[in-house]
Every structure is written in C-alpha cells, then in structure tokens.
Amino acid sequence: MVTIREVLNKLKWTNQLGNYVVVYISRGSPNNEEVLDLSRVVNIGRDGFTFIGSGGRETYIPYHRVVEIRRKDGTVVFRRNVPH
C-alpha cells in the first residue's frame, strides 16, 4: 500500500505538485473538509506536511487528516475513508 508521503514526494520530485489538490479534515469548515492546492506545500515531513496559508503563515497538516489527493481535473490518485 502506498503512503500519502510517498505520493506527495513523487509529485514533488517530478515537479507536479501544482497539478494536484489535497482534501483534508478541517473542523468547522463546510463538510469538515478543506481543499488545498499542493503548489502551496513547502515541506513534506515524516508525519505530515507544511504549506503556506493565508497571511503567509505556515500551517502543518498531519497525514492522518488527509482524505484524498486528486489531480485538478478530478482524477483521484489517493483516497481513504476517514470518520468526520
């Protein structure tokens, strides 16, 4: 089974992050989910990733909050069921 980190690293090293989005759990957001353009990712770590959020602030998202990774055309490359 491929991990979220492996998917993100492959996209990073093939210079394709800008072609993908990630859906992650965000309590209080509509449907408790947010969609992030992966071009905003600045670090892919062991347990999660960091992206530049609003106001230029870095935000950390642990992998256990990731629901889906998909191309901007809607093709899903990674999905898992996560209780909301």
Side-chain angles (χ1 to χ4, degrees):
M1 182 172 145
V2 94
T3 67
I4 295 165
R5 183 179 184 201
E6 290 170 334
V7 172
L8 292 176
N9 273 320
K10 180 178 180 181
L11 295 175
K12 176 183 177 181
W13 295 114
T14 58
N15 202 28
Q16 295 183 56
L17 282 174
N19 299 325
Y20 290 80
V21 297
V22 64
V23 180
Y24 65 94
I25 296 171
S26 179
R27 303 277 184 239
S29 295
N31 297 323
N32 288 326
E33 294 181 345
E34 287 199 34
V35 178
L36 170 72
D37 187 322
L38 285 176
S39 66
R40 296 171 55 193
V41 170
V42 292
N43 184 46
I44 299 169
R46 188 172 69 96
D47 298 317
F49 63 93
T50 305
F51 69 93
I52 300 297
S54 58
R57 222 175 71 198
E58 287 190 12
T59 302
Y60 176 78
I61 302 295
Y63 294 133
H64 71 266
R65 289 177 47 198
V66 173
V67 176
E68 183 176 275
I69 299 172
R70 65 178 177 243
R71 289 196 316 231
K72 288 183 177 176
D73 70 5
T75 304
V76 175
V77 296
F78 178 91
R79 177 182 289 150
R80 71 168 162 195
N81 292 329
V82 178
H84 292 76

